[in-house]
Amino acid sequence: MNRPVAPSNPTPVAPAARPGDAAGGPLPPPAAGLPPSVGAFDYTRYPVRLPALAADGLEAVASGSHPVVIAGGGPVGMALALGLANHGVRSVILEADDTVCVGSRAACISRRSLEIMARLGVLPAFLAKGLPWTGGRSFYKTEEVFRFEMPHDARQKLPPMINLEQYYAEHYLLEEIERRNAAAPGLIDIRWGTELTGLSQDDAGVLLEARNAQGEYQLRGQWLAACDGGQSFVRKALGLALEGTGYEGRYVIIDIELRSGHPTERRAWFDPPWNPGSTVLMHRQPDDIWRIDYQLRAGQSTEEALQPPAVAEFVQRHLDAIGEGHLPWKTVWTSVYRAGAMTLASYRHGRVLFAGNAAHAMPIFGVRGLNSGFDDADNLAWKLAFVARGLSDAALLDSYSTERIAAFHVNAENAMRSTEFMSPPSRGFDLLREAALSLSGVHRGIAQLINPRQTQAVRYDHSPLSSADGDALPAGPLPGEAMPEQQLAQGHLTDRIGARFTLLVLQPTHGAAIELPADDIARAQEGPLPFALCTIAADGPADAHADARVFDALGAREGAVYLLRPDGHVAARWRHLSAGALPRALERAAAAVQLETLAA
């Protein structure tokens, strides 16, 4: 690994993604042999195959009808498949590539996403490799003007954020898929090197046309989940387009291998002397890989900026400026990104559902891209599984679209504020940013304008699945909110929340047990919906114990009962659970399914 000091000694040519647009982000590099290893990560090309086919007229048709077909085997598609598998629902993944992604891509995984990964069985691998961090620093020219810390304390089970390259995330999800298939063959059928080329749908399902290096065939599915990224074939095939705001600001993304001892934190430089008029971001990743994002100035050529000599010159200039120019380094991946906050008007179109970048585009600032995609998969998996199993009416899938579009607008509002600061869309925004930055060193309140507003769990304020909060508690998460983590006497609250409905009973004092409608709970436990009862008490018989801080945080000083959805969001909450309240809340949260009818 040689330090590039002159054009005669350029950095090695690294894989480069093709420029994309604001709606889709960067395109993957053209296939040309096996991608080179990055740090400790070695790429694998997975075999391409045809499924068993049966003659159907003049077409080759894969036998049977699959409950769910997933277009796209990236992190969102694989997370959705594992979420469906949690409920025993089989799926087929069609992935056009034959390997996991190249380049760091979405590299910051939030605490909320880590909670989702725990339900999918991949959390240990993510934590073992990922680099946790809690905050970052911002500089104006060379002066530090802002330092932020994300909410975190010793009672949390998980860090607020880890850095983990997307190829590792996909690899760990794939390993879990392989473990599930070893236990239940065919549970998740991932078909590598297979692209979707056509689709049609009717009331019974979807008919899909697929193609790989070995041939073409058709397959049928009850439902199609479009997780095929920013350049979504499914979206284009249905004549749909993302709507919203696209920004002119362009960012070059460079992954370099650099053995630096700098701690894991987010660093941002505004208008640095070594790249005036621009913004530069830097993140540490596993295997001594560092991610550098820098803004191209107006008039700079994208193509020229990606040329190896230009990349080498910029990186060396940046490292020299931050005192690490003496360290050897090499480029391992480059790309270009243009910010946009865009969404489909609906995430459900008949038998087709959209998730991840196929459904929406998020600016990179605040790391809401992949984290929003994981939230999509978490929200959709249990609902699609319930519908596929006949437990819920298909109207439950409309709530997926309603909730996640509402979440998009919450995320987009914060992301757009950050984007307008990071990449001013006009001279007016540019002047505002310059004034804020120049005053931030002296006026700390103004420095809050620099806050990157990192992603966090979103409340579904007006969810059709939530029961009215008529018996309001003095504190705690409201209906539609994700249940926040709490430290118990042993373990944490999220350890008790699985991919099922959970009735959480909080009993703060021994001898003052909360009376529960036994018949309602018995019917729920014996019914078709996945359901569990969990009691947390200060002392005495219980599933787990906690101190007063937990009961205070959840508004349960005098006791409380929460009904949690399979994705951990609150469906209903009560001071006292009266007879009939639980079945009504369950029916509402499962899209008005009549439990008595199902039980019969």
Side-chain angles (χ1 to χ4, degrees), residues 134 298 511 540:
T134 60

Side-chain angles (χ1 to χ4, degrees), residues 6 12 21 27 55 123-124 158 212 230 250 271 300 312 321 335 365-366 376 397 445 485 488 501 504 522 553 566 585:
D21 56 21
L27 299 172
L123 179 62
L158 299 169
N212 63 29
R250 295 161 297 149
D271 196 19
Q300 279 189 285
S335 183
F365 313 115
D376 290 347
L397 298 173
E485 184 64 280
L488 307 179
F501 284 105
L504 181 65

Side-chain angles (χ1 to χ4, degrees), residues 439-497:
L439 294 171
S440 292
V442 177
H443 301 282
R444 308 311 295 176
I446 293 177
Q448 287 297 324
L449 293 172
I450 308 172
N451 194 325
R453 300 179 181 87
Q454 303 291 67
T455 184
Q456 57 186 347
V458 174
R459 179 193 175 197
Y460 303 134
D461 280 328
H462 305 292
S463 172
L465 308 187
S466 296
S467 295
D469 192 27
D471 193 14
L473 300 174
L478 297 168
E481 282 189 61
M483 175 58 70
E485 184 64 280
Q486 303 293 330
Q487 185 177 41
L488 307 179
Q490 293 185 331
H492 291 78
L493 180 55
T494 53
D495 299 333
R496 305 281 171 173
I497 302 172

Side-chain angles (χ1 to χ4, degrees), residues 93-115:
I93 298 175
L94 305 179
E95 169 51 44
D97 205 347
D98 62 355
T99 186
V100 299
C101 75
V102 177
S104 61
R105 299 186 180 271
C108 299
I109 312 296
S110 70
R111 175 181 285 144
R112 174 61 181 164
S113 291
L114 292 175
E115 292 174 357

